[in-house]
Amino acid sequence: MRHQKAGRTLSRKSGPRRALLSNLTQALIEYERIETTDAKAKEIRGLADRAINWAASLGDILTKDEDKLDAEDKARKLHAMRMARRVVKNPVVLHKLFNEVGPRFVGRPGGFTRIIKKGFRHGDAAPVSIIELVERGEAEAPAAGKKAATEARAE
């Protein structure tokens, strides 16, 4: 019996499972939209939301210049970065989390990700989902431009 054992094991031991979830979370923050199995998407949702919440909880500290922060604000920012670093290990992705993604979600109480069911994978019929950030950044702008251009040509 698995009483009081939270989370999915994903047929892996704890070390490889933690590494997999960390890598998927990093990919989600880096690309803002990834395709994976339903179970993995549901597992990384919590990790990604927690990491984004650490960045968004800083509020106006993120927008201020680093030189203008007092000691207490610098300590809060450092603590939040270290807490998010437990999941997001890549420094480039961590920088993106605190400089691009975090400020986008300031003031939002939660629910930073959305899961969209896609269908079944061809090879093994595993259920596949797309997990993405609710408010996507630059990746969404070119897609909207292409749609407007094709609609203009159709008319």
Side-chain angles (χ1 to χ4, degrees), residues 8-90:
R8 296 164 182 83
T9 58
L10 302 174
S11 300
R12 289 165 174 82
K13 293 193 174 187
S14 63
R17 181 176 56 244
R18 213 172 293 127
L20 170 78
L21 296 176
S22 174
N23 288 335
L24 284 172
T25 304
Q26 287 178 153
L28 176 63
I29 292 168
E30 184 175 2
Y31 301 112
E32 299 186 8
R33 180 180 192 160
I34 59 171
E35 181 179 311
T36 185
T37 62
D38 286 355
K40 290 175 189 171
K42 289 176 184 177
E43 272 303 299
I44 67 169
R45 178 178 45 197
L47 289 173
D49 281 354
R50 200 170 309 127
I52 294 169
N53 193 34
W54 275 111
S57 67
L58 295 177
D60 60 336
I61 295 175
L62 295 174
T63 57
K64 287 184 184 175
D65 190 27
E66 195 73 28
D67 301 333
K68 296 180 181 176
L69 296 176
D70 60 343
E72 185 179 336
D73 288 343
K74 284 182 181 178
R76 280 187 60 207
K77 186 173 182 179
L78 180 65
H79 177 64
M81 290 184 88
R82 286 179 174 166
M83 295 303 282
R85 178 99 184 185
R86 293 185 298 178
V87 177
V88 181
K89 310 230 185 280
N90 187 340

